[in-house]
Amino acid sequence: MQPYVLVSTDDFDAAALTSRMTDGRTDIGAVVSFTGYCRDENKTLLALELEHYPGMAEAQLTRIAENALQRWPLQAVTIVHRSGMIKAGEQIVFVATASKHRQVAFEAAEFLMDYLKSDAPFWKKEHLAAPARTDTDPQSAWVKAKASDANLKKRWQDR
């Protein structure tokens, strides 16, 4: 079974993506999905700009999905990740796993998100509403990787 992986500048319909996994299937007992949004915690973020190398990003997302398929007995895996300019409040990522049992689906979905946060080849630039930085472009800055994301991924390495 091949995972469904898509990188697009277009928004996505989470319900349609879930239906794509389950329509006509009677072997699925659970679907777990996660939708990530562009958040503005400080009321200063206008948008995130996500860049990627076409082909490379899809290949890496597919490798992550195939890793989940090897670890858990899944009936389906879907990963959709947006690129381009994404405004605060808009959807960025959708991950869904389908399996016979809920625990498998939950674990696999969490695994996918932990690996996407640390291994997906996307570069994020914040675009701010008001100058909040003192570097050369005070209204935009590249987002640095977080140690907490790498730590979440590590927990799966011993499993």
Side-chain angles (χ1 to χ4, degrees), residues 24-58:
R25 308 267 319 245
T26 59
D27 60 332
I28 295 172
V31 173
V32 171
S33 67
F34 171 84
T35 304
Y37 291 83
C38 178
R39 73 176 175 276
D40 177 17
E41 293 177 2
N42 299 319
K43 305 294 183 201
T44 60
L45 183 74
L46 292 175
L48 280 178
E49 183 177 358
L50 277 73
E51 293 185 6
H52 74 291
Y53 287 109
M56 182 180 121
E58 292 85 350

PDB file of all heavy atoms in Angstrom, residues 24-58:
ATOM      1  N   GLY A  24     -15.512   3.075   0.773  1.00  0.00           N
ATOM      2  CA  GLY A  24     -15.531   1.723   0.243  1.00  0.00           C
ATOM      3  C   GLY A  24     -14.754   0.708   1.052  1.00  0.00           C
ATOM      4  O   GLY A  24     -14.631  -0.443   0.646  1.00  0.00           O
ATOM      5  N   ARG A  25     -14.220   1.120   2.201  1.00  0.00           N
ATOM      6  CA  ARG A  25     -13.404   0.214   3.023  1.00  0.00           C
ATOM      7  C   ARG A  25     -14.223  -0.271   4.220  1.00  0.00           C
ATOM      8  O   ARG A  25     -14.920   0.512   4.852  1.00  0.00           O
ATOM      9  CB  ARG A  25     -12.161   0.945   3.551  1.00  0.00           C
ATOM     10  CG  ARG A  25     -11.318   1.655   2.529  1.00  0.00           C
ATOM     11  CD  ARG A  25     -10.172   0.905   1.940  1.00  0.00           C
ATOM     12  NE  ARG A  25      -9.358   0.089   2.766  1.00  0.00           N
ATOM     13  CZ  ARG A  25      -8.081   0.299   3.031  1.00  0.00           C
ATOM     14  NH1 ARG A  25      -7.480   1.379   2.566  1.00  0.00           N
ATOM     15  NH2 ARG A  25      -7.395  -0.559   3.729  1.00  0.00           N
ATOM     16  N   THR A  26     -14.110  -1.534   4.539  1.00  0.00           N
ATOM     17  CA  THR A  26     -14.753  -2.081   5.730  1.00  0.00           C
ATOM     18  C   THR A  26     -13.735  -2.645   6.710  1.00  0.00           C
ATOM     19  O   THR A  26     -14.109  -3.150   7.761  1.00  0.00           O
ATOM     20  CB  THR A  26     -15.761  -3.184   5.344  1.00  0.00           C
ATOM     21  OG1 THR A  26     -15.056  -4.219   4.652  1.00  0.00           O
ATOM     22  CG2 THR A  26     -16.880  -2.628   4.480  1.00  0.00           C
ATOM     23  N   ASP A  27     -12.454  -2.558   6.355  1.00  0.00           N
ATOM     24  CA  ASP A  27     -11.397  -3.103   7.208  1.00  0.00           C
ATOM     25  C   ASP A  27     -10.819  -2.059   8.163  1.00  0.00           C
ATOM     26  O   ASP A  27      -9.929  -2.373   8.955  1.00  0.00           O
ATOM     27  CB  ASP A  27     -10.271  -3.691   6.345  1.00  0.00           C
ATOM     28  CG  ASP A  27      -9.631  -2.662   5.417  1.00  0.00           C
ATOM     29  OD1 ASP A  27     -10.320  -1.692   5.018  1.00  0.00           O
ATOM     30  OD2 ASP A  27      -8.452  -2.834   5.082  1.00  0.00           O
ATOM     31  N   ILE A  28     -11.305  -0.840   8.121  1.00  0.00           N
ATOM     32  CA  ILE A  28     -10.781   0.229   8.965  1.00  0.00           C
ATOM     33  C   ILE A  28     -11.662   0.393  10.191  1.00  0.00           C
ATOM     34  O   ILE A  28     -12.873   0.580  10.079  1.00  0.00           O
ATOM     35  CB  ILE A  28     -10.700   1.559   8.172  1.00  0.00           C
ATOM     36  CG1 ILE A  28      -9.671   1.423   7.046  1.00  0.00           C
ATOM     37  CG2 ILE A  28     -10.367   2.727   9.089  1.00  0.00           C
ATOM     38  CD1 ILE A  28      -9.646   2.598   6.087  1.00  0.00           C
ATOM     39  N   GLY A  29     -11.032   0.324  11.361  1.00  0.00           N
ATOM     40  CA  GLY A  29     -11.760   0.503  12.616  1.00  0.00           C
ATOM     41  C   GLY A  29     -11.498   1.851  13.265  1.00  0.00           C
ATOM     42  O   GLY A  29     -12.226   2.267  14.162  1.00  0.00           O
ATOM     43  N   ALA A  30     -10.451   2.547  12.808  1.00  0.00           N
ATOM     44  CA  ALA A  30     -10.103   3.836  13.410  1.00  0.00           C
ATOM     45  C   ALA A  30      -9.342   4.698  12.416  1.00  0.00           C
ATOM     46  O   ALA A  30      -8.502   4.200  11.674  1.00  0.00           O
ATOM     47  CB  ALA A  30      -9.244   3.618  14.653  1.00  0.00           C
ATOM     48  N   VAL A  31      -9.667   5.974  12.431  1.00  0.00           N
ATOM     49  CA  VAL A  31      -8.897   6.976  11.701  1.00  0.00           C
ATOM     50  C   VAL A  31      -8.542   8.064  12.698  1.00  0.00           C
ATOM     51  O   VAL A  31      -9.404   8.579  13.407  1.00  0.00           O
ATOM     52  CB  VAL A  31      -9.686   7.596  10.525  1.00  0.00           C
ATOM     53  CG1 VAL A  31      -8.912   8.766   9.906  1.00  0.00           C
ATOM     54  CG2 VAL A  31      -9.995   6.547   9.477  1.00  0.00           C
ATOM     55  N   VAL A  32      -7.262   8.365  12.774  1.00  0.00           N
ATOM     56  CA  VAL A  32      -6.792   9.459  13.619  1.00  0.00           C
ATOM     57  C   VAL A  32      -6.174  10.501  12.696  1.00  0.00           C
ATOM     58  O   VAL A  32      -5.344  10.166  11.854  1.00  0.00           O
ATOM     59  CB  VAL A  32      -5.764   8.979  14.668  1.00  0.00           C
ATOM     60  CG1 VAL A  32      -5.126  10.161  15.384  1.00  0.00           C
ATOM     61  CG2 VAL A  32      -6.432   8.048  15.663  1.00  0.00           C
ATOM     62  N   SER A  33      -6.604  11.748  12.876  1.00  0.00           N
ATOM     63  CA  SER A  33      -6.054  12.805  12.044  1.00  0.00           C
ATOM     64  C   SER A  33      -5.599  13.977  12.898  1.00  0.00           C
ATOM     65  O   SER A  33      -6.064  14.173  14.024  1.00  0.00           O
ATOM     66  CB  SER A  33      -7.081  13.283  11.011  1.00  0.00           C
ATOM     67  OG  SER A  33      -8.160  13.927  11.645  1.00  0.00           O
ATOM     68  N   PHE A  34      -4.684  14.724  12.327  1.00  0.00           N
ATOM     69  CA  PHE A  34      -4.170  15.942  12.952  1.00  0.00           C
ATOM     70  C   PHE A  34      -4.128  17.017  11.879  1.00  0.00           C
ATOM     71  O   PHE A  34      -3.630  16.780  10.777  1.00  0.00           O
ATOM     72  CB  PHE A  34      -2.757  15.715  13.506  1.00  0.00           C
ATOM     73  CG  PHE A  34      -2.104  16.980  13.968  1.00  0.00           C
ATOM     74  CD1 PHE A  34      -2.350  17.482  15.240  1.00  0.00           C
ATOM     75  CD2 PHE A  34      -1.266  17.693  13.127  1.00  0.00           C
ATOM     76  CE1 PHE A  34      -1.767  18.663  15.660  1.00  0.00           C
ATOM     77  CE2 PHE A  34      -0.673  18.878  13.541  1.00  0.00           C
ATOM     78  CZ  PHE A  34      -0.932  19.366  14.812  1.00  0.00           C
ATOM     79  N   THR A  35      -4.661  18.176  12.199  1.00  0.00           N
ATOM     80  CA  THR A  35      -4.569  19.328  11.319  1.00  0.00           C
ATOM     81  C   THR A  35      -3.817  20.420  12.066  1.00  0.00           C
ATOM     82  O   THR A  35      -4.221  20.822  13.161  1.00  0.00           O
ATOM     83  CB  THR A  35      -5.969  19.835  10.908  1.00  0.00           C
ATOM     84  OG1 THR A  35      -6.691  18.763  10.306  1.00  0.00           O
ATOM     85  CG2 THR A  35      -5.855  21.001   9.935  1.00  0.00           C
ATOM     86  N   GLY A  36      -2.719  20.877  11.494  1.00  0.00           N
ATOM     87  CA  GLY A  36      -1.934  21.952  12.086  1.00  0.00           C
ATOM     88  C   GLY A  36      -2.258  23.270  11.415  1.00  0.00           C
ATOM     89  O   GLY A  36      -2.462  23.331  10.198  1.00  0.00           O
ATOM     90  N   TYR A  37      -2.302  24.321  12.217  1.00  0.00           N
ATOM     91  CA  TYR A  37      -2.653  25.663  11.746  1.00  0.00           C
ATOM     92  C   TYR A  37      -1.492  26.631  11.979  1.00  0.00           C
ATOM     93  O   TYR A  37      -0.689  26.449  12.894  1.00  0.00           O
ATOM     94  CB  TYR A  37      -3.879  26.187  12.496  1.00  0.00           C
ATOM     95  CG  TYR A  37      -5.142  25.442  12.155  1.00  0.00           C
ATOM     96  CD1 TYR A  37      -5.454  24.248  12.785  1.00  0.00           C
ATOM     97  CD2 TYR A  37      -6.022  25.944  11.205  1.00  0.00           C
ATOM     98  CE1 TYR A  37      -6.612  23.557  12.469  1.00  0.00           C
ATOM     99  CE2 TYR A  37      -7.176  25.261  10.880  1.00  0.00           C
ATOM    100  CZ  TYR A  37      -7.468  24.072  11.521  1.00  0.00           C
ATOM    101  OH  TYR A  37      -8.615  23.379  11.203  1.00  0.00           O
ATOM    102  N   CYS A  38      -1.468  27.679  11.206  1.00  0.00           N
ATOM    103  CA  CYS A  38      -0.521  28.774  11.407  1.00  0.00           C
ATOM    104  C   CYS A  38      -1.064  29.625  12.559  1.00  0.00           C
ATOM    105  O   CYS A  38      -2.121  30.226  12.439  1.00  0.00           O
ATOM    106  CB  CYS A  38      -0.411  29.598  10.128  1.00  0.00           C
ATOM    107  SG  CYS A  38       0.695  31.009  10.263  1.00  0.00           S
ATOM    108  N   ARG A  39      -0.343  29.639  13.660  1.00  0.00           N
ATOM    109  CA  ARG A  39      -0.850  30.349  14.831  1.00  0.00           C
ATOM    110  C   ARG A  39      -0.090  31.654  15.053  1.00  0.00           C
ATOM    111  O   ARG A  39       1.079  31.781  14.717  1.00  0.00           O
ATOM    112  CB  ARG A  39      -0.792  29.484  16.079  1.00  0.00           C
ATOM    113  CG  ARG A  39       0.585  29.264  16.624  1.00  0.00           C
ATOM    114  CD  ARG A  39       0.582  28.458  17.928  1.00  0.00           C
ATOM    115  NE  ARG A  39       1.931  28.178  18.328  1.00  0.00           N
ATOM    116  CZ  ARG A  39       2.666  27.170  17.896  1.00  0.00           C
ATOM    117  NH1 ARG A  39       2.150  26.316  17.047  1.00  0.00           N
ATOM    118  NH2 ARG A  39       3.902  27.012  18.297  1.00  0.00           N
ATOM    119  N   ASP A  40      -0.786  32.582  15.659  1.00  0.00           N
ATOM    120  CA  ASP A  40      -0.226  33.889  15.991  1.00  0.00           C
ATOM    121  C   ASP A  40      -0.410  34.093  17.483  1.00  0.00           C
ATOM    122  O   ASP A  40      -1.432  34.599  17.921  1.00  0.00           O
ATOM    123  CB  ASP A  40      -0.914  34.994  15.197  1.00  0.00           C
ATOM    124  CG  ASP A  40      -0.413  36.373  15.577  1.00  0.00           C
ATOM    125  OD1 ASP A  40       0.663  36.471  16.202  1.00  0.00           O
ATOM    126  OD2 ASP A  40      -1.100  37.351  15.255  1.00  0.00           O
ATOM    127  N   GLU A  41       0.575  33.669  18.260  1.00  0.00           N
ATOM    128  CA  GLU A  41       0.468  33.753  19.717  1.00  0.00           C
ATOM    129  C   GLU A  41       0.620  35.175  20.249  1.00  0.00           C
ATOM    130  O   GLU A  41       0.081  35.514  21.268  1.00  0.00           O
ATOM    131  CB  GLU A  41       1.524  32.862  20.367  1.00  0.00           C
ATOM    132  CG  GLU A  41       1.285  31.394  20.121  1.00  0.00           C
ATOM    133  CD  GLU A  41       2.372  30.524  20.704  1.00  0.00           C
ATOM    134  OE1 GLU A  41       3.295  31.053  21.341  1.00  0.00           O
ATOM    135  OE2 GLU A  41       2.299  29.305  20.516  1.00  0.00           O
ATOM    136  N   ASN A  42       1.373  35.997  19.540  1.00  0.00           N
ATOM    137  CA  ASN A  42       1.676  37.339  20.044  1.00  0.00           C
ATOM    138  C   ASN A  42       0.935  38.441  19.309  1.00  0.00           C
ATOM    139  O   ASN A  42       1.242  39.617  19.491  1.00  0.00           O
ATOM    140  CB  ASN A  42       3.187  37.597  19.958  1.00  0.00           C
ATOM    141  CG  ASN A  42       3.967  36.610  20.783  1.00  0.00           C
ATOM    142  OD1 ASN A  42       3.562  36.274  21.885  1.00  0.00           O
ATOM    143  ND2 ASN A  42       5.066  36.123  20.241  1.00  0.00           N
ATOM    144  N   LYS A  43      -0.013  38.093  18.466  1.00  0.00           N
ATOM    145  CA  LYS A  43      -0.787  39.070  17.694  1.00  0.00           C
ATOM    146  C   LYS A  43       0.100  39.937  16.799  1.00  0.00           C
ATOM    147  O   LYS A  43      -0.209  41.090  16.535  1.00  0.00           O
ATOM    148  CB  LYS A  43      -1.641  39.956  18.611  1.00  0.00           C
ATOM    149  CG  LYS A  43      -2.566  39.193  19.526  1.00  0.00           C
ATOM    150  CD  LYS A  43      -3.622  38.479  18.734  1.00  0.00           C
ATOM    151  CE  LYS A  43      -4.585  37.774  19.698  1.00  0.00           C
ATOM    152  NZ  LYS A  43      -5.315  36.722  19.090  1.00  0.00           N
ATOM    153  N   THR A  44       1.221  39.382  16.340  1.00  0.00           N
ATOM    154  CA  THR A  44       2.119  40.120  15.456  1.00  0.00           C
ATOM    155  C   THR A  44       2.401  39.380  14.153  1.00  0.00           C
ATOM    156  O   THR A  44       2.919  39.971  13.220  1.00  0.00           O
ATOM    157  CB  THR A  44       3.473  40.409  16.141  1.00  0.00           C
ATOM    158  OG1 THR A  44       4.083  39.166  16.485  1.00  0.00           O
ATOM    159  CG2 THR A  44       3.295  41.270  17.382  1.00  0.00           C
ATOM    160  N   LEU A  45       2.061  38.091  14.074  1.00  0.00           N
ATOM    161  CA  LEU A  45       2.376  37.293  12.889  1.00  0.00           C
ATOM    162  C   LEU A  45       1.319  37.501  11.803  1.00  0.00           C
ATOM    163  O   LEU A  45       0.137  37.277  12.041  1.00  0.00           O
ATOM    164  CB  LEU A  45       2.457  35.806  13.242  1.00  0.00           C
ATOM    165  CG  LEU A  45       2.846  34.892  12.098  1.00  0.00           C
ATOM    166  CD1 LEU A  45       4.332  35.033  11.800  1.00  0.00           C
ATOM    167  CD2 LEU A  45       2.504  33.453  12.420  1.00  0.00           C
ATOM    168  N   LEU A  46       1.762  37.921  10.640  1.00  0.00           N
ATOM    169  CA  LEU A  46       0.859  38.015   9.494  1.00  0.00           C
ATOM    170  C   LEU A  46       0.775  36.691   8.762  1.00  0.00           C
ATOM    171  O   LEU A  46      -0.294  36.256   8.358  1.00  0.00           O
ATOM    172  CB  LEU A  46       1.348  39.090   8.521  1.00  0.00           C
ATOM    173  CG  LEU A  46       1.290  40.532   8.995  1.00  0.00           C
ATOM    174  CD1 LEU A  46       1.919  41.453   7.965  1.00  0.00           C
ATOM    175  CD2 LEU A  46      -0.144  40.935   9.273  1.00  0.00           C
ATOM    176  N   ALA A  47       1.949  36.068   8.575  1.00  0.00           N
ATOM    177  CA  ALA A  47       1.994  34.831   7.793  1.00  0.00           C
ATOM    178  C   ALA A  47       3.313  34.111   8.021  1.00  0.00           C
ATOM    179  O   ALA A  47       4.283  34.696   8.490  1.00  0.00           O
ATOM    180  CB  ALA A  47       1.835  35.147   6.316  1.00  0.00           C
ATOM    181  N   LEU A  48       3.304  32.837   7.673  1.00  0.00           N
ATOM    182  CA  LEU A  48       4.524  32.045   7.566  1.00  0.00           C
ATOM    183  C   LEU A  48       4.729  31.768   6.083  1.00  0.00           C
ATOM    184  O   LEU A  48       3.789  31.438   5.371  1.00  0.00           O
ATOM    185  CB  LEU A  48       4.391  30.702   8.284  1.00  0.00           C
ATOM    186  CG  LEU A  48       4.563  30.664   9.776  1.00  0.00           C
ATOM    187  CD1 LEU A  48       4.343  29.237  10.276  1.00  0.00           C
ATOM    188  CD2 LEU A  48       5.927  31.152  10.193  1.00  0.00           C
ATOM    189  N   GLU A  49       5.958  31.907   5.656  1.00  0.00           N
ATOM    190  CA  GLU A  49       6.311  31.553   4.295  1.00  0.00           C
ATOM    191  C   GLU A  49       7.101  30.261   4.355  1.00  0.00           C
ATOM    192  O   GLU A  49       8.157  30.211   4.982  1.00  0.00           O
ATOM    193  CB  GLU A  49       7.146  32.669   3.670  1.00  0.00           C
ATOM    194  CG  GLU A  49       7.508  32.431   2.240  1.00  0.00           C
ATOM    195  CD  GLU A  49       8.283  33.602   1.654  1.00  0.00           C
ATOM    196  OE1 GLU A  49       8.502  34.606   2.350  1.00  0.00           O
ATOM    197  OE2 GLU A  49       8.677  33.480   0.484  1.00  0.00           O
ATOM    198  N   LEU A  50       6.580  29.203   3.740  1.00  0.00           N
ATOM    199  CA  LEU A  50       7.239  27.903   3.754  1.00  0.00           C
ATOM    200  C   LEU A  50       7.843  27.630   2.384  1.00  0.00           C
ATOM    201  O   LEU A  50       7.140  27.668   1.372  1.00  0.00           O
ATOM    202  CB  LEU A  50       6.257  26.789   4.109  1.00  0.00           C
ATOM    203  CG  LEU A  50       6.004  26.593   5.592  1.00  0.00           C
ATOM    204  CD1 LEU A  50       5.162  27.697   6.166  1.00  0.00           C
ATOM    205  CD2 LEU A  50       5.381  25.253   5.843  1.00  0.00           C
ATOM    206  N   GLU A  51       9.144  27.364   2.387  1.00  0.00           N
ATOM    207  CA  GLU A  51       9.848  27.027   1.158  1.00  0.00           C
ATOM    208  C   GLU A  51      10.280  25.569   1.217  1.00  0.00           C
ATOM    209  O   GLU A  51      10.503  25.024   2.302  1.00  0.00           O
ATOM    210  CB  GLU A  51      11.074  27.921   0.978  1.00  0.00           C
ATOM    211  CG  GLU A  51      10.731  29.376   0.743  1.00  0.00           C
ATOM    212  CD  GLU A  51      11.954  30.226   0.451  1.00  0.00           C
ATOM    213  OE1 GLU A  51      13.074  29.670   0.317  1.00  0.00           O
ATOM    214  OE2 GLU A  51      11.792  31.443   0.356  1.00  0.00           O
ATOM    215  N   HIS A  52      10.408  24.963   0.050  1.00  0.00           N
ATOM    216  CA  HIS A  52      10.869  23.582  -0.054  1.00  0.00           C
ATOM    217  C   HIS A  52      11.446  23.363  -1.438  1.00  0.00           C
ATOM    218  O   HIS A  52      11.264  24.183  -2.333  1.00  0.00           O
ATOM    219  CB  HIS A  52       9.722  22.603   0.212  1.00  0.00           C
ATOM    220  CG  HIS A  52       8.746  22.514  -0.917  1.00  0.00           C
ATOM    221  ND1 HIS A  52       7.886  23.548  -1.259  1.00  0.00           N
ATOM    222  CD2 HIS A  52       8.508  21.518  -1.806  1.00  0.00           C
ATOM    223  CE1 HIS A  52       7.164  23.178  -2.292  1.00  0.00           C
ATOM    224  NE2 HIS A  52       7.507  21.963  -2.650  1.00  0.00           N
ATOM    225  N   TYR A  53      12.161  22.247  -1.598  1.00  0.00           N
ATOM    226  CA  TYR A  53      12.629  21.828  -2.907  1.00  0.00           C
ATOM    227  C   TYR A  53      11.629  20.805  -3.440  1.00  0.00           C
ATOM    228  O   TYR A  53      11.499  19.720  -2.867  1.00  0.00           O
ATOM    229  CB  TYR A  53      14.018  21.198  -2.838  1.00  0.00           C
ATOM    230  CG  TYR A  53      15.113  22.189  -2.587  1.00  0.00           C
ATOM    231  CD1 TYR A  53      15.774  22.220  -1.368  1.00  0.00           C
ATOM    232  CD2 TYR A  53      15.493  23.104  -3.566  1.00  0.00           C
ATOM    233  CE1 TYR A  53      16.784  23.138  -1.121  1.00  0.00           C
ATOM    234  CE2 TYR A  53      16.500  24.027  -3.329  1.00  0.00           C
ATOM    235  CZ  TYR A  53      17.134  24.033  -2.108  1.00  0.00           C
ATOM    236  OH  TYR A  53      18.124  24.942  -1.869  1.00  0.00           O
ATOM    237  N   PRO A  54      10.891  21.155  -4.510  1.00  0.00           N
ATOM    238  CA  PRO A  54       9.938  20.189  -5.070  1.00  0.00           C
ATOM    239  C   PRO A  54      10.641  18.877  -5.423  1.00  0.00           C
ATOM    240  O   PRO A  54      11.750  18.866  -5.917  1.00  0.00           O
ATOM    241  CB  PRO A  54       9.419  20.901  -6.322  1.00  0.00           C
ATOM    242  CG  PRO A  54       9.598  22.358  -6.013  1.00  0.00           C
ATOM    243  CD  PRO A  54      10.884  22.428  -5.220  1.00  0.00           C
ATOM    244  N   GLY A  55       9.973  17.806  -5.157  1.00  0.00           N
ATOM    245  CA  GLY A  55      10.540  16.478  -5.384  1.00  0.00           C
ATOM    246  C   GLY A  55      11.259  15.969  -4.152  1.00  0.00           C
ATOM    247  O   GLY A  55      10.995  14.870  -3.685  1.00  0.00           O
ATOM    248  N   MET A  56      12.166  16.749  -3.612  1.00  0.00           N
ATOM    249  CA  MET A  56      12.889  16.355  -2.405  1.00  0.00           C
ATOM    250  C   MET A  56      11.943  16.295  -1.198  1.00  0.00           C
ATOM    251  O   MET A  56      11.980  15.343  -0.422  1.00  0.00           O
ATOM    252  CB  MET A  56      14.014  17.335  -2.112  1.00  0.00           C
ATOM    253  CG  MET A  56      14.848  16.973  -0.892  1.00  0.00           C
ATOM    254  SD  MET A  56      16.153  18.197  -0.645  1.00  0.00           S
ATOM    255  CE  MET A  56      15.730  18.751   0.980  1.00  0.00           C
ATOM    256  N   ALA A  57      11.097  17.299  -1.058  1.00  0.00           N
ATOM    257  CA  ALA A  57      10.173  17.331   0.081  1.00  0.00           C
ATOM    258  C   ALA A  57       9.196  16.158   0.016  1.00  0.00           C
ATOM    259  O   ALA A  57       8.984  15.460   1.014  1.00  0.00           O
ATOM    260  CB  ALA A  57       9.422  18.656   0.129  1.00  0.00           C
ATOM    261  N   GLU A  58       8.620  15.925  -1.153  1.00  0.00           N
ATOM    262  CA  GLU A  58       7.675  14.810  -1.301  1.00  0.00           C
ATOM    263  C   GLU A  58       8.349  13.475  -1.024  1.00  0.00           C
ATOM    264  O   GLU A  58       7.761  12.593  -0.382  1.00  0.00           O
ATOM    265  CB  GLU A  58       7.064  14.808  -2.710  1.00  0.00           C
ATOM    266  CG  GLU A  58       6.147  15.975  -3.001  1.00  0.00           C
ATOM    267  CD  GLU A  58       6.866  17.235  -3.493  1.00  0.00           C
ATOM    268  OE1 GLU A  58       8.109  17.292  -3.445  1.00  0.00           O
ATOM    269  OE2 GLU A  58       6.177  18.162  -3.924  1.00  0.00           O
TER     270      GLU A  58
END
